[in-house]
Amino acid sequence: MQTDHIFPPSRLVPQAADLLRLVQNALVRACMDTRFKRLVGWRGFAVCPEPIGAATLRLTGRPGIYGIVPDGCDADGEIGFARFGLHYFPLVGEPLFESLSPAAAVLIAAPEFRARVRNFPAHPELIGPFAIGVLTVGFGRHKDVLSLTLETCEHHRVVSVAGLRAADGAVVVPPGGVEQDVPARALAEDLLDVLACAVTACVGEPPRLLHADSAPADEIVREADGGWHARRCDDNRRLLRTIAWGEVGTLDLDHLRLDGATATETWTAATGAPPPATVAAALWWRTHALDALLAEGAHPEAADRRPSLIVLCGFLGSGKTTLVNQVIEHHRNHDQFVAVIQNEIGAESVDAHLVEESDSVESLDEGCICCTLAGSLAKGAQRLIDRYHPERIVLETTGLANPMNLVDELATLSDLVRLDVMVTVVDADNVLAALATSAVAREQIRGGDVLVLNKCDLVDAAALAAVRGHLRALNDRAPILETCFARIHPALLLGDVDDLPDAAPVADPAADVAAHVAPALACCGGAHHAGAADHHHEHHHEHDHHDHTAREHHPGSHRDGGDGEGAAGHARHDHRADGFVAIRLPQPPGLSRDALFERLAGSPGRAFRIKGIVDLVDGPGPEALQCVGARRELAPLPSVYEGAPFLIFIGQDLDRAALTAHWLPAVAPARDERVPVRA
């Protein structure tokens, strides 16, 4: 078993701090391969200031934030063990919110909730209500065995004897009704599976032992006076699940037993028996052989090694470098790496010194990349890929570059990068003068897939309307995203669907929640009760540390405070407040290439980005669809795709019903039909 990736090779015997950092080390090492991150849906983590081993984590498919915090460590035996409490902090908009108690909802509605989640170990009021289980990490003294053990229950349920009523007498929870019912097992096992994938990838071999116990579980009964007690229930189970690698014969299975277990199952590789059918398809059997796993074609989203390329244009002084720093911050908070190619006319780059990750900036100076430096882009991209293996590359062109002149060269880079989007940053205060005197300024706007209209705070409403009119006259297909201080959520530019809501957001989610739950909370005594009942609560919050700060590099600039207003009093710009959503629909069957493009042209709403995997009747098979502004692209997938084709629409104030009516009626197939029309 290889342990050098997760344990200091110079240290002979594991210490407590090593056990506490083992999970984080495994994730960091495994995620150095971007294919692993895409495969398991890893979206990053942030280390909490203290204690050692505490962190917040995010997974694709779970809108909320996971929290992990140490809860004891013993490194003195032949096998050392570290225990961690697992927590999940949901978002207001996800369906899980309906399963929460009113007291939990009030905690989430507090304005300071997001800031507290970032450092949740320092806030005891968050530890109990959001708990979903306990993770125990075991590591052999001789570095020969490693285990992950999850203890949780199917549901964290609270029953209210007296029920809950609102101030107007409306019944919120009927007497004897369920106040809270959170699917703790599903939440905790999602995280365990990703951690197990990371361990397999790091130790270089699959697990050699699986063990599972289950026993009857309790539910919490809350009395009318606020007291509580536990009672046995028939439809809930306590569960213990262990996955182990290496010399598993040294593990004491008694240590892995669940008290009161009524069912148990143990599998070891030494018996030669096949793994249990319930986990036979788990990814953590095979992440040590990632090349072979991805070559089978079952996970095309993870197989492409190429970084995406974002081309950032804009006239002199429009705010491009500020936007670059926004993109860098977005990736940092998602545990991702972005590299930058900066082109500046002059013998030495100035803007490169303004980029926060300046060591990963490739400067192409002494000329303009769209003319005198044509051909240098491929070399610069290759150097960054070889050195940093970035997940995205941002090309920030000189303020005088014409994006139209880059199109041919970008087409030659398809083996190195995937062209994602061309963004043009526009200075609202100076753009009309630039358009009147510069053909390049006009071409930059014509060439943009997305127009970021910056510095809107410097012009009045009439001037802003005039600017919009000029932009629309030059480019009537690209969306116009208006902002100040280049504060635009990078997910809107990058097509990161997981950072966008799937339905129209509430204007003020916190206020909406508080208005509904505060009266009910008052009826049950006001404050959230402490004690064991708190360990049966799950909750929601809005996006945590993934709302980002704008960094201006000119006099008079300010930084957003992160949760509210910036130092200069400017409210944080958040894509949800602008009505941006992502909607996924199945691709209609029997769709031809011409029919697809016709439907794209007439698609309702303000979808400025459409992506997905389509299977056209006159196509070669499943293809990747990318539409940004007026640019549309169909590209072959790097491996076999066997899932259902789909479309994702990202835009502002999109109407799901209108999109469904436009896309889902049956489409007449092309003559060379390969797929029958479905009724």
Side-chain angles (χ1 to χ4, degrees), residues 337-340 352 355-362 384 387-388:
F337 191 87
V338 61
V340 179
V355 175
E356 294 176 8
E357 301 287 351
S358 57
D359 58 338
S360 59
V361 175
E362 182 75 23
L384 288 173
R387 188 180 307 166
Y388 298 108

Side-chain angles (χ1 to χ4, degrees), residues 593 596-597 612-614 616 623-626 632-636:
R593 181 185 179 93
L596 171 65
F597 288 157
I613 296 178
V614 297
L616 306 177
E623 299 174 275
L625 171 69
Q626 291 280 357
R632 300 167 187 169
E633 179 183 276
L634 282 171

